[in-house]
Every structure is written in C-alpha cells, then in structure tokens.
Amino acid sequence: MRSIRWWEMGWLAVAGLFAGVLLLPINSASSRAVESSADGFIPVAPAAAIHTALRLNLKITNDWLDERDYASAAQSAHVLLALAQLYSHQSTAPRWRDRTGALREALGRLLAAARAKDAAGCRKAVQECDALLTELAKDPPPAARTADPAFKPVGDLRHWMLLLDGTYADAKTADSKETEHLAYTIAEGANAVQYLRSDPRWREKAATVRQAALQAAKLAHEGELAPARQALKAVYQRCQECHEGFKR
C-alpha cells in the first residue's frame, strides 16, 4: 500500500508537469497527436494496462478501508472512476460498454459509501467491483478502437492529477511488466487530461507527457526496467522543478 495519504502526495506538483513540460522538445509525433485530438479521444494504452491499474487501486482502496481512513478511500474511489472511464473506452462494443458501465456504477456506490463512512456498504461495493473486474478480464474487448469526439473526463483536474501522481509512485517499485502497464496508464491519463481544457498549448503539453510515458512503457516492455524508471522520473522531476519555481 502507498505509505502516504492522498493529500500528502503533492498532486499540485504533478499539475505543474503540464507547465514544466515546456522544457521538453515537442517532436513531430506529439504534434501530430495534438492535431488528431480534434477527432476525439482515442485510447493509447492496452486494456490489460488499465485493468492492472484498476486492480492495484482497488486493493489500495480496500487497504484504506481496513484502516478506516474513509477520506483516502474516497479519494482512491475518484481515481478508480477515472480509470474505469478509460477502461470503458477500450471498445464501443455494446457488451463491453454495458459491463464497464456496471463497473462505473459500482464504483459510484463505493464512493458514496466511503463519503458516508458506511463500512458495510464499502465492503459490498469493493466485492462487487472485484467480481466485475474478474469477469471483464475473462473477456477482453475487441482490438478495434474508434475516436470519441464527445469525450469529457470525469471528475476534475485534481482527481486526474491524483491518478498520475499515484501511478508514478507505484511504478517506482514495480517489476518490468507492471511498470510497463503503469507507464501506459500515465500515458492514457495524460491522453484524457488534454480534454480538460481546449486551448492548444495545454493539449500540446499533455501530448508531450503522453509521448514520454509511452516511451517509458516501450522500454519496460523490452525489459529495460532501469531506463524505463529513469524516463518516468525525468518527466516527474520537471514537474517538481516547475512547482518549486512557482512557490518561489
């Protein structure tokens, strides 16, 4: 389990990433990605990667509940809802959308129970989410993906920054396969965050973060764990530098 509370994780530092990332060069690939975003949201991560992140964060939520830390459990539920939205966009097949929709509804019940400090309700919702994830893993979505021009990220910027921050924290101690999946999750999170604002520069920054995380995922896939971690750390350090500069 993460050893610090959600509100101690410095999500504002991650928010600075989208300003600090200006220190990174914008390559042609990310520029094309910004242009293509006008067509709508298209997933960049495999379903297995988002599934890994969902499983990990559901366990973390359950750990918070074991400690009766309902505030952290509620924050974690927000992250799970963001991940579930990303998961649902892996396919437009009705069966997939119905089952991921059921997952999002169960997570909504988990969030409500955590806010109400309803231990029994939380346990029931966690069990329901666990069962749905098991079912979804047995029947992965079709590979074909389509753009969603009406895509709108759930929650607000803070919840997405918590997702990016927590995923980076988990990746620091993960093995190669999990690091690959978590790097993909960061890429997909950045892919979604670009739709929180419409101005081109914001979307350009998000695309750069996405490309850097995809490169880290590629390194992890190739068994280059240390370089993959370094690639993720380099992006995060730029965000920290920007945040420190802002405080001064």
Side-chain angles (χ1 to χ4, degrees):
M1 187 182 76
R2 297 183 185 119
S3 60
I4 50 180
R5 274 20 181 197
W6 279 109
W7 52 81
E8 296 170 340
M9 294 185 71
W11 70 271
L12 281 172
V14 184
L17 175 57
F18 292 95
V21 79
L22 291 173
L23 300 172
L24 291 169
I26 304 297
N27 59 31
S28 59
S30 62
S31 295
R32 287 195 300 272
V34 174
E35 293 168 4
S36 66
S37 70
D39 298 327
F41 176 87
I42 302 176
V44 297
I50 307 303
H51 188 92
T52 293
L54 279 162
R55 277 290 186 194
L56 179 59
N57 281 276
L58 186 62
K59 179 184 182 302
I60 289 167
T61 305
N62 200 44
D63 288 341
W64 291 134
L65 293 172
D66 284 342
E67 294 188 9
R68 297 185 179 275
D69 185 344
Y70 293 103
S72 288
Q75 292 284 20
S76 189
H78 276 296
V79 170
L80 282 163
L81 281 165
L83 286 167
Q85 182 186 30
L86 299 178
Y87 203 35
S88 71
H89 277 75
Q90 286 289 321
S91 174
T92 57
R95 177 172 168 77
W96 179 259
R97 285 296 175 93
D98 286 346
R99 290 183 300 158
T100 54
L103 175 63
R104 293 173 71 176
E105 289 173 2
L107 288 170
R109 289 190 286 274
L110 173 58
L111 174 59
R115 285 173 168 169
K117 299 183 179 181
D118 176 2
C122 286
R123 296 299 178 195
K124 181 179 179 181
V126 166
Q127 290 172 2
E128 186 178 2
C129 292
D130 180 70
L132 286 166
L133 285 173
T134 298
E135 179 186 342
L136 285 159
K138 292 177 180 177
D139 188 14
R145 299 167 174 177
T146 58
D148 180 2
F151 179 83
K152 182 179 180 181
V154 299
D156 57 31
L157 177 60
R158 181 170 183 265
H159 301 139
W160 289 92
M161 294 304 103
L162 287 170
L163 167 59
L164 295 176
D165 197 17
T167 304
Y168 170 73
D170 294 329
K172 290 191 290 185
T173 56
D175 60 22
S176 292
K177 176 54 69 175
E178 194 170 73
T179 296
E180 176 189 350
H181 283 180
L182 294 175
Y184 269 127
T185 299
I186 292 172
E188 198 73 280
N191 195 30
V193 162
Q194 67 176 311
Y195 292 94
L196 286 169
R197 298 180 184 177
S198 61
D199 65 274
R201 194 56 177 162
W202 172 266
R203 293 194 170 185
E204 188 175 85
K205 296 169 189 176
T208 304
V209 175
R210 180 182 62 206
Q211 291 305 117
L214 287 173
Q215 178 60 25
K218 180 176 182 292
L219 289 168
H221 178 75
E222 295 170 350
E224 300 290 337
L225 182 56
R229 287 177 176 170
Q230 190 59 39
L232 289 175
K233 184 178 180 180
V235 175
Y236 191 79
Q237 283 177 333
R238 283 179 172 84
C239 111
Q240 295 282 18
E241 290 165 4
C242 176
H243 183 56
E244 290 301 316
F246 173 78
K247 288 195 298 185
R248 288 194 294 269

